[in-house]
Amino acid sequence: MKYARAKLAVLALSALFATQTWAIGGFNLDLNKIISAGKNLGEASKDVSEPEEISIGEGMASVLLGAAPLAKNEALQRYVNQVGRYLTLQTERPDLPWYFGVLDSNSVNAFATPGGHIFVTSGLLRKMRSEAELAGVLSHEIAHVLRKHHLAAMKKAGGMGFLADVASIAVEQKGGGGYGKELSKNLISGMKEVMVRGLDKGDEYEADRMGIVIATRSGYDPYGLPAVLQTLEGLSGSSDVSLLFSTHPSPDSRLDTLSGLMQSNFDHYQGQSVSDRFRHLVPNGAKN
Ligand SMILES: [Zn+2]
């Protein structure tokens, strides 16, 4: 399967990049102090093991890839993975099999699936102006995975049947069937329902707050995500953003919700850029 090959190549590359991390002084933001108590965390995770979570996410990723193929630009796919994997190293779940993909679609959107599969459309990438904006969007999606928002929403949609369906994945795995092979019809319809209906507004606001923390911790300008939200606001009414708008609170209300947090915690980091890190940490380095 084409997707599996692409994924393997990406994982091999990501492993390479993972060894090239560096510590950043001064960015000791405490995620837990800034985010809310995390009402969904634990609720879904008590019942679903991490391998099951990853399996569900792989199934959901193939549903997404059935709707839009990966963009045929290896350098771009590699780059988005490099940025995304670096961001995940600043989180409490760095060891998930994170995978980032650019979907070839004019629709302006980004998606996350349980277990660490994250997709951004080429339509959304074309609206961005900087790596900080990309990092802001990817961090928002990473936060959904960390908080298991989709898993909780699927559990809610599937009711009691959800856990039985998840258990069937485990049975299949024990029988040597491997993860992510065939998900039940119920699970797939639950996923589709969540994709079409979207998550709770509260989960979206939480992912915005956490996303800004993750991007800032990684050395990016915290205003990357708010800048994208401003761009989205300007696209209101376009058919390219209709799914995004129907599944998320309006960009305006997201910006409003973020404004208090931004002013009190992040102004200090505004304008920081990963590319300036060397200068920051080696101020006496050679001048060109
Ligand atoms: Zn979201």
Side-chain angles (χ1 to χ4, degrees), residues 75-265:
L76 179 68
Q77 299 287 359
R78 219 169 21 240
Y79 165 69
V80 171
N81 268 274
Q82 189 181 356
V83 173
R85 296 275 307 187
Y86 177 67
L87 292 165
T88 64
L89 292 171
Q90 326 301 325
T91 73
E92 66 269 34
R93 303 186 77 190
D95 297 326
L96 282 177
W98 293 98
Y99 166 78
F100 296 82
V102 179
L103 296 177
D104 185 10
S105 166
N106 286 330
S107 169
V108 172
N109 218 335
F111 307 91
T113 80
H117 285 60
I118 287 170
F119 297 97
V120 55
T121 64
S122 47
L124 176 53
L125 277 180
R126 282 194 292 271
K127 302 290 179 200
M128 295 177 185
R129 285 159 300 192
S130 69
E131 190 171 302
E133 294 192 6
L134 172 63
V137 167
L138 296 180
S139 296
H140 169 101
E141 300 303 329
I142 289 168
H144 281 315
V145 176
L146 297 176
R147 286 316 226 195
K148 305 183 181 182
H149 287 156
H150 291 88
L151 216 50
M154 284 168 65
K155 188 180 169 190
K156 212 164 132 189
M160 294 301 285
F162 174 76
L163 290 178
D165 288 334
V166 170
S168 72
I169 301 174
V171 169
E172 187 185 317
Q173 200 264 341
K174 274 183 206 144
Y179 287 120
K181 291 204 81 183
E182 288 289 322
L183 297 185
S184 72
K185 275 187 188 147
N186 280 344
L187 270 184
I188 291 176
S189 75
M191 281 170 199
K192 287 184 175 167
E193 196 181 322
V194 169
M195 278 188 238
V196 172
R197 265 219 242 137
L199 298 166
D200 289 343
K201 280 186 177 185
D203 289 351
E204 293 299 344
Y205 293 134
E206 184 177 52
D208 282 343
R209 291 195 298 277
M210 283 181 69
I212 282 167
V213 174
I214 294 164
T216 309
R217 259 187 189 172
S218 308
Y220 288 102
D221 187 323
Y223 285 86
L225 180 63
V228 174
L229 292 174
Q230 267 162 1
T231 302
L232 293 177
E233 186 59 33
L235 295 173
S236 150
S238 153
S239 62
D240 289 340
V241 292
S242 57
L243 179 62
L244 189 146
F245 273 55
S246 68
T247 52
H248 287 74
S250 75
D252 250 2
S253 67
R254 291 170 69 184
L255 284 165
D256 273 356
T257 310
L258 281 174
S259 62
L261 169 81
M262 298 306 289
Q263 277 163 16
S264 56
N265 293 287

